[in-house]
Amino acid sequence: MAAAGSGWAAVCEKFRTARTLSAVESRKDPETEPYRSKYSARALLQEVKQLLSAAEEGGEARLLAVRRAVLEYELGVNHTDTEELSAGEEHLQRCTQLLQPHRLSPDCVSLYIQAQNNLGILWSERDEIKTAQTYLESAEALYNQYMKEDGNPPLDPSEHFMAEEEKLTDQERSKRFEKAYTHTLYYLAQVYQHLGMIEKAAQYCHTTLKRQLEYCGYYPVEWALNAATLSQYYLSKQCFMESRHCLAAASVIFSQAGQVPSAEDNETEQDQQDLRQRKAEIARCWIKYCLNLLQSARKLLEDNIGELDPDRQSELKAQRKKEEDEKEKGRKKVVLFGTSDICDSVLAMEEKVSSVYPLDFQEAREIFLVGQNYVQEAKEFFQVDGYVTDHIEIVQDHSALFKVLAFFEEDYERRCKMHKRRIDMLEPVCADLNPQYYLLISRQLQFELADTYYEMMDLKVAIGNRLEELDSHTIKKINSLAQLAIKYYELFLDSLRNPDKVFPEQLEEDVLRPAMVAKFHIARLYGKLITSDSKKQLENMQTSLEYYTFLVDYCDKYPDAVHAIETELELSREMVGLLPTRMERLRAKLCPFI
Amino acid sequence: SVEGDAIKVYVRVRPPSEGTVLTDGEQGLCLSVLSCNTIRLHSKPEPKIFTFDYVANMETTQESVFSSVAKSIVESCMNGYNGTIFAYGQTGSGKTFTMMGPSDSDNFTHSLRGVIPRSFEYLFFLIEREKEKAGSGKSFLCKCSFIEIYNEQIFDLLDSASAGLFLREHIKKGVFVDGAVEQVLSSAAEAYQVLTTGWRNRRVASTSMNRESSRSHAVFTITVESMEKNNETVNIRSSLLNLVDLAGSERQKDTHTEGLRLKEAGNINRSLSCLGQVITALVDVGNGKQRHVCYRDSKLTFLLRDSLGGNAKTCIIANVHPGSRCFGETLSTLNFAQRAKLIKNKAVVNEDTQGNVS
């Protein structure tokens, strides 16, 4: 060795000090001199570089080149850390040039990948994401090639300045190398996200999570939240199996968080509180899972008027039988989380809820119940006192679960009772909520309550139609449900008025459709009110006509609105044409002699 | 006052500090004010024109800034609306001067006093006028609190002993800081007194805990409650006026204003802490599906949720430094302000009628 003996030891010592300064000391630097330690580290690295050049004569060229590359790398990172990007780039480029011929050998591969990672970061800071992408992708490719051709645990860059006896174990080497590669994937996930390559970004997030588990590089709570959030991405893609896998893994890993004492081990009340909140957050992801699975199944099963289509149902059931055998194959496509132990727990967790579309009430009910359990769990933390918005969102989900379950229920009376449950949970919060602070939620609740009453009224009408004739009790019920629906639609419409109680001339884009639907439904509701008093009936028809006319006039005035409510508009036009004749006939009956 | 509900954006250009020799570029300035609502940024190759609700040039007085920015917000506050005034801009762009006035004076009567003391004066002037008009039938109660958000933690500036307060929501009262001291105010001078005391706490904290004021957000909130007896009924109205001094914009890399840069894994061994943000972004690209994101908004956006796209009257004063050395920061401030204009607010009067008291 060229710089043998104490000289080399001193060099190593300097290098080590520089690294400590850079990584540890720099975090304690004062705000006024944020880079003090980094600058000292830089000076030391420069010295090491000098010493190295002095020893140049008898040395092995290759060894020297690699050592120089290590220094160039450290200097490159140092300069980028201190916001001197151009200088940093030069150093990193020199590093990769020195390593280029040896990049596939065990003593260089890790350093080369890390240099590429840093070049990626550097270019991203210049908002040149495409350039960053090329560096990171080439780092990824190099890792894969190395693992295919060699695969032995490669040297960690820091080892080039270590005495022989300090060198790392193979296990430690492998750990560090894999970590560097995990970072590559993690940066790529960000790059793809920035480039709008959503699917690829998700895939890289998934792989990063998977590798964190494999190499034990994770905080359970953070990991669980990431996995739970990723499950929501899969939901939006209707990939229920993947979504469930993420959630099951999140729940399993989260349960570790409570057991393992945290590093500091001073569990304050705050930490406990945080932990409970995270648990509730994961529960909320599960709720969404159940809800989406049910809603998607409903979409598959419903006919053109939104009722369960029995033909479609048996068709799908037959199809499912066929697919059951294929299921095992599909399973393998999913990127599974965890090694055997964790994996077993995750699979056990998955057993508890299906990931295939429910096709009848029984199957739907099982998913509903799982969702409802998570509603309770989430509510334990997100109580209305202190977490108004979150609490109400959970109540809304609960209501939505009932709504979709009702779709699968054949018995109209029981279906009606499910909607009544929704009313019972929504009405009290809606009454208490102050719209000055919660305008949006307040509107959502009013609208949902109106819709629910509307739906219940329709069910009562359907039940009534099966009878020989409507009894007075049913009529009263229908009318009162219709009145309540009208009340909440009106409350919603009132919330659109300005402080002087004037309804807006032109509706904002975000409330256009709900406002029009509210008007349309009110018109229909007045048409459905049952009365034996013909004068009253005439009045109701008149009101109904006014609301239909509103829709028609509005769309004549603002043709842009038409696209939002095409079907409703068509029906309204029809009614505006029909109603006056009907009213005329009724009037004629009332006063036959005029 | 039924004007649009969009957030109003005002830009104020400070004069370069005295004694600065303007060398580089065309007079060393990177922008010029074209009219009372347009500004031209001398970017290359093409200059860029920005339009705002109001642009204050270097000569604009404090009084005039107050009249065009804050006056109407204080007025609507008296009418039962919530109002918020933000100051935004890089460190040294004149935020504190605009909001407070010259830094060395606690002098409430100083001719250069800023938007905040002027708002106090105006608010209490309006209250007195209302009281005179309505006689004994109407009474007012004003309270204030003053908090600081630093590193996603909330501190009470009116109680320097406290630390780590929490945000909570109340079904009637909206978002509030649990445990924050509320001080009753009876005059503008008193309000100013409370403000300066709190402001001093902010400074003190900046040395003892090694934090820099520009790294924290300060939120001063006045609650105005009015009670009016009218025959059988009592009308209670309450509204909030938030005065917010945001951290220097150069410190906000972590918030949504950031550009494209990648988050580094850093030296901390295990945590790839921004992975969650990436995933959240994936989930956010919505298609109408029901989903839940596990990560909360920042404390500041949560606290001021009503003011940002909620139902309140809100304005942002974007402060910029005209020097060409500040070109990058100025561009990003103007871009931010441009985006802020797209946020819409819905204002709703808060009138809570409690019947038959007699």
Side-chain angles (χ1 to χ4, degrees):
Chain A
M1 209 167 278
S6 63
W8 176 241
V11 166
C12 290
E13 184 54 35
K14 266 201 172 67
F15 181 82
R16 195 198 321 253
T17 315
R19 279 181 56 106
T20 318
L21 273 169
S22 193
V24 185
E25 292 299 319
S26 69
R27 268 185 266 163
K28 299 177 219 151
D29 283 343
E31 300 263 304
T32 46
E33 296 172 83
Y35 299 135
R36 193 166 68 185
S37 305
K38 296 264 182 201
Y39 293 145
S40 325
R42 187 192 294 180
L44 282 174
L45 291 168
Q46 300 283 16
E47 279 179 44
V48 175
K49 208 172 146 184
Q50 294 287 325
L51 290 171
L52 224 53
S53 333
E56 199 157 346
E57 64 287 359
E60 291 172 53
R62 187 179 181 283
L63 182 70
L64 210 57
V66 174
R67 282 181 183 162
R68 254 196 225 135
V70 176
L71 285 173
E72 293 294 350
Y73 170 78
E74 293 289 342
L75 282 165
V77 173
N78 184 290
H79 279 88
T80 41
D81 281 350
T82 52
E83 295 169 35
E84 293 166 48
L85 293 189
S86 307
E89 190 199 350
E90 277 171 35
H91 285 293
L92 289 170
Q93 289 292 13
R94 241 174 274 146
C95 168
T96 51
Q97 273 156 23
L98 285 163
L99 293 178
Q100 188 66 25
H102 323 296
R103 65 186 193 284
L104 265 169
S105 58
D107 57 339
C108 299
V109 65
S110 187
L111 180 60
Y112 194 82
I113 284 176
Q114 291 183 45
Q116 302 270 77
N117 279 356
N118 276 285
L119 281 164
I121 293 171
L122 190 144
W123 281 100
S124 88
E125 296 212 4
R126 293 172 168 166
D127 280 0
E128 301 259 357
I129 292 290
K130 286 268 181 201
T131 314
Q133 182 190 3
T134 54
Y135 282 110
L136 293 166
E137 283 178 347
S138 86
E140 183 189 24
L142 180 63
Y143 170 88
N144 287 326
Q145 199 186 348
Y146 177 81
M147 291 311 272
K148 207 170 122 203
E149 290 175 13
D150 189 319
N152 288 310
L155 240 61
D156 186 68
S158 62
E159 290 185 80
H160 294 290
F161 288 91
M162 274 183 191
E164 206 54 48
E165 63 274 15
E166 291 169 318
K167 296 253 159 111
L168 304 171
T169 61
D170 271 359
Q171 201 191 2
E172 180 63 25
R173 280 177 179 168
S174 166
K175 210 176 111 187
R176 294 195 185 185
F177 180 53
E178 295 298 343
K179 200 179 110 186
Y181 179 59
T182 305
H183 283 184
T184 306
L185 299 176
Y186 163 75
Y187 299 133
L188 275 171
Q190 298 178 59
V191 161
Y192 293 136
Q193 182 231 319
H194 285 312
L195 292 174
M197 300 158 77
I198 299 303
E199 218 160 301
K200 216 156 179 194
Q203 189 195 321
Y204 276 77
C205 285
H206 196 128
T207 316
T208 306
L209 285 175
K210 188 173 142 71
R211 292 178 58 88
Q212 279 183 288
L213 265 196
E214 270 165 41
Y215 299 101
C216 296
Y218 65 99
Y219 294 114
V221 176
E222 190 183 283
W223 194 94
L225 282 184
N226 284 339
T229 313
L230 186 61
S231 78
Q232 305 297 292
Y233 163 79
Y234 286 123
L235 275 191
S236 67
K237 297 274 161 205
Q238 308 229 57
C239 301
F240 292 102
M241 198 194 285
E242 288 84 349
S243 181
R244 181 180 68 169
H245 187 65
C246 286
L247 279 168
S251 290
V252 167
I253 298 298
F254 183 85
S255 64
Q256 294 181 348
Q259 297 155 12
V260 184
S262 64
E264 294 90 301
D265 207 19
N266 52 351
E267 293 240 325
T268 58
E269 197 181 324
Q270 166 67 41
D271 296 333
Q272 289 295 334
Q273 168 105 343
D274 274 353
L275 220 54
R276 290 199 303 126
Q277 175 167 349
R278 301 306 170 208
K279 189 165 180 241
E281 301 267 13
I282 294 172
R284 292 181 67 180
C285 289
W286 275 112
I287 299 170
K288 296 291 188 194
Y289 170 83
C290 296
L291 196 53
N292 275 283
L293 186 55
L294 287 165
Q295 286 172 338
S296 301
R298 172 187 173 152
K299 273 239 158 56
L300 280 180
L301 288 167
E302 72 187 356
D303 58 18
N304 54 2
I305 55 155
E307 287 291 319
L308 197 141
D309 181 343
D311 294 341
R312 191 87 186 100
Q313 185 178 28
S314 38
E315 190 185 311
L316 284 169
K317 279 194 168 174
Q319 193 184 325
R320 181 155 85 192
K321 264 230 152 60
K322 248 185 11 207
E323 278 168 7
E324 226 135 63
D325 314 321
E326 309 253 318
K327 208 170 134 195
E328 219 35 51
K329 277 188 207 153
R331 168 97 267 176
K332 288 191 186 108
K333 272 199 253 162
V334 184
V335 192
L336 289 174
F337 282 126
T339 45
S340 57
D341 256 8
I342 289 172
C343 206
D344 286 348
S345 319
V346 173
L347 293 180
M349 186 81 202
E350 287 187 339
E351 298 272 295
K352 292 178 186 165
V353 57
S354 164
S355 71
V356 296
Y357 295 121
L359 296 178
D360 56 31
F361 180 76
Q362 206 41 49
E363 291 173 355
R365 186 174 166 273
E366 280 170 28
I367 295 165
F368 166 87
L369 287 174
V370 172
Q372 185 165 255
N373 275 333
Y374 282 114
V375 166
Q376 300 314 337
E377 188 177 317
K379 271 195 192 164
E380 271 171 39
F381 180 82
F382 291 113
Q383 293 173 7
V384 71
D385 180 23
Y387 298 93
V388 177
T389 311
D390 291 290
H391 181 86
I392 294 177
E393 279 168 7
I394 295 165
V395 172
Q396 286 176 309
D397 280 348
H398 197 184
S399 162
L401 279 169
F402 266 111
K403 183 178 179 180
V404 66
L405 180 67
F407 166 82
F408 291 91
E409 174 61 68
E410 284 164 38
D411 183 306
Y412 281 7
E413 285 291 352
R414 281 172 49 187
R415 199 190 280 192
C416 226
K417 287 205 177 89
M418 291 178 191
H419 289 306
K420 184 68 176 65
R421 290 284 301 273
R422 299 173 58 203
I423 299 280
D424 291 343
M425 60 179 83
L426 296 171
E427 222 159 34
V429 271
C430 183
D432 281 346
L433 201 62
N434 181 349
Q436 190 190 11
Y437 299 107
Y438 302 100
L439 182 66
L440 194 65
I441 303 188
S442 182
R443 281 180 183 163
Q444 286 171 355
L445 291 174
Q446 287 158 351
F447 201 88
E448 194 175 345
L449 278 163
D451 266 353
T452 313
Y453 277 122
Y454 187 85
E455 196 149 352
M456 285 173 78
M457 183 216 57
D458 266 347
L459 285 168
K460 287 288 177 201
V461 170
I463 294 165
N465 284 343
R466 291 181 189 158
L467 304 170
E468 296 280 291
E469 60 178 312
L470 286 177
D471 56 288
S472 68
H473 174 73
T474 313
I475 291 172
K476 244 174 99 181
K477 191 81 211 168
I478 290 172
N479 282 343
S480 99
L481 289 170
Q483 294 289 5
L484 283 162
I486 291 171
K487 170 186 144 187
Y488 280 106
Y489 281 127
E490 292 288 7
L491 275 176
F492 169 76
L493 290 169
D494 284 344
S495 82
L496 303 177
R497 292 173 189 272
N498 75 8
D500 305 321
K501 317 278 184 221
V502 180
F503 198 79
E505 184 70 15
Q506 187 173 7
L507 291 156
E508 300 279 341
E509 188 64 34
D510 53 336
V511 291
L512 174 67
R513 170 144 180 99
M516 287 302 184
V517 169
K519 292 270 186 189
F520 179 73
H521 280 185
I522 293 173
R524 296 193 70 190
L525 284 158
Y526 274 106
K528 296 220 165 167
L529 285 171
I530 304 165
T531 170
S532 52
D533 177 352
S534 306
K535 255 178 89 183
K536 189 85 196 139
Q537 197 185 346
L538 201 60
E539 268 174 42
N540 288 341
M541 284 166 99
Q542 182 59 41
T543 316
S544 186
L545 178 62
E546 278 161 22
Y547 278 89
Y548 283 128
T549 311
F550 176 90
L551 245 83
V552 173
D553 289 350
Y554 187 93
C555 290
D556 286 344
K557 198 165 170 198
Y558 304 105
D560 282 354
V562 174
H563 73 275
I565 41 155
E566 250 164 295
T567 329
E568 289 82 358
L569 181 63
E570 200 180 308
L571 285 165
S572 298
R573 284 196 202 283
E574 217 170 281
M575 291 308 283
V576 170
L578 282 174
L579 270 176
T581 336
R582 274 196 216 157
M583 287 163 71
E584 211 40 59
R585 242 181 271 145
L586 190 62
R587 259 189 223 117
K589 256 200 317 198
L590 264 173
C591 315
F593 303 113
I594 298 172
Chain B
S1 54
V2 197
E3 51 214 356
D5 288 321
I7 289 183
K8 295 263 183 291
V9 180
Y10 303 84
V11 172
R12 186 181 202 188
V13 183
R14 65 160 287 169
S17 35
E18 272 176 63
T20 317
V21 189
L22 302 171
T23 48
D24 46 349
E26 160 200 330
Q27 300 167 321
L29 299 182
C30 66
L31 54 81
S32 37
V33 177
L34 299 180
S35 73
C36 62
N37 55 16
T38 50
I39 197 166
R40 179 170 55 202
L41 193 66
H42 307 309
S43 49
K44 282 164 193 156
E46 287 288 302
K48 233 181 137 183
I49 309 245
F50 289 88
T51 306
F52 297 100
D53 294 292
Y54 176 80
V55 175
N57 62 24
M58 294 178 214
E59 282 83 43
T60 312
T61 61
Q62 296 281 68
E63 170 61 29
S64 139
V65 169
F66 168 74
S67 312
S68 36
V69 179
K71 217 169 168 182
S72 70
I73 291 204
V74 176
E75 279 162 8
S76 32
C77 195
M78 286 300 290
N79 295 326
Y81 293 94
N82 296 335
T84 300
I85 303 170
F86 285 102
Y88 181 86
Q90 79 175 106
T91 304
S93 61
K95 274 181 301 171
T96 306
F97 180 77
T98 299
M99 296 301 273
M100 295 285 282
S103 56
D104 51 347
S105 85
D106 282 356
N107 194 348
F108 185 46
T109 55
H110 198 290
S111 61
L112 290 178
R113 66 194 182 281
V115 165
I116 292 178
R118 284 170 204 267
S119 298
F120 291 162
E121 286 160 32
Y122 192 51
L123 180 69
F124 281 94
F125 164 75
L126 291 176
I127 288 176
E128 287 310 317
R129 204 177 63 181
E130 279 285 301
K131 275 204 236 167
E132 265 170 43
K133 240 176 24 192
S136 61
K138 198 164 188 179
S139 58
F140 286 88
L141 177 63
C142 285
K143 286 177 292 185
C144 70
S145 65
F146 195 11
I147 59 133
E148 179 182 37
I149 302 176
Y150 177 75
N151 265 348
E152 284 298 288
Q153 276 185 295
I154 301 176
F155 302 93
D156 191 342
L157 288 171
L158 301 185
D159 174 15
S160 47
S162 81
L165 298 178
F166 292 100
L167 280 177
R168 291 169 70 79
E169 284 179 294
H170 187 274
I171 200 160
K172 291 279 185 215
K173 293 183 295 193
V175 182
F176 66 101
V177 180
D178 200 5
V181 169
E182 277 197 310
Q183 220 144 309
V184 176
L185 301 173
S186 55
S187 69
E190 211 175 290
Y192 193 71
Q193 182 65 40
V194 175
L195 177 78
T196 43
T197 314
W199 200 271
R200 239 179 271 131
N201 274 339
R202 196 183 175 193
R203 295 260 175 97
V204 170
S206 77
T207 53
S208 71
M209 288 179 70
N210 191 26
R211 49 179 147 129
E212 206 177 281
S213 71
S214 72
R215 291 199 170 190
S216 77
H217 309 295
V219 184
F220 190 85
T221 306
I222 303 184
T223 317
V224 185
E225 254 178 48
S226 68
M227 196 162 80
E228 191 170 16
K229 276 190 194 154
N230 206 339
N231 299 327
E232 310 280 274
T233 59
V234 179
N235 277 343
I236 296 173
R237 272 184 178 187
S238 85
S239 49
L240 302 176
L241 179 62
N242 295 308
L243 303 162
V244 187
D245 183 27
L246 292 174
S249 47
E250 71 279 10
R251 302 286 181 210
Q252 307 202 12
K253 287 175 183 163
D254 289 337
T255 63
H256 304 295
T257 58
E258 65 159 331
L260 292 171
R261 63 174 64 83
L262 305 187
K263 284 286 172 56
E264 287 178 57
N267 296 316
I268 306 152
N269 265 336
R270 293 180 297 177
S271 174
L272 304 181
S273 58
C274 105
L275 191 64
Q277 289 175 25
V278 180
I279 301 175
T280 304
L282 301 181
V283 179
D284 271 346
V285 180
N287 51 0
K289 286 272 183 297
Q290 292 257 355
R291 55 199 188 274
H292 178 69
V293 177
C294 297
Y295 300 87
R296 282 219 159 226
D297 307 335
S298 78
K299 293 274 194 316
L300 183 76
T301 48
F302 190 72
L303 178 64
L304 299 171
R305 207 166 40 179
D306 295 324
S307 315
L308 302 161
N311 36 333
K313 304 253 175 191
T314 302
C315 79
I316 290 176
I317 309 176
N319 292 275
V320 293
H321 192 292
S324 40
R325 297 201 63 174
C326 303
F327 176 82
E329 287 295 344
T330 298
L331 177 63
S332 96
T333 300
L334 294 177
N335 279 330
F336 170 86
Q338 200 83 32
R339 281 199 303 277
K341 274 187 14 170
L342 301 175
I343 304 172
K344 261 189 201 156
N345 269 0
K346 280 267 158 275
V348 162
V349 175
N350 185 31
E351 192 149 332
D352 192 12
T353 311
Q354 298 175 332
N356 302 328
V357 181
S358 58

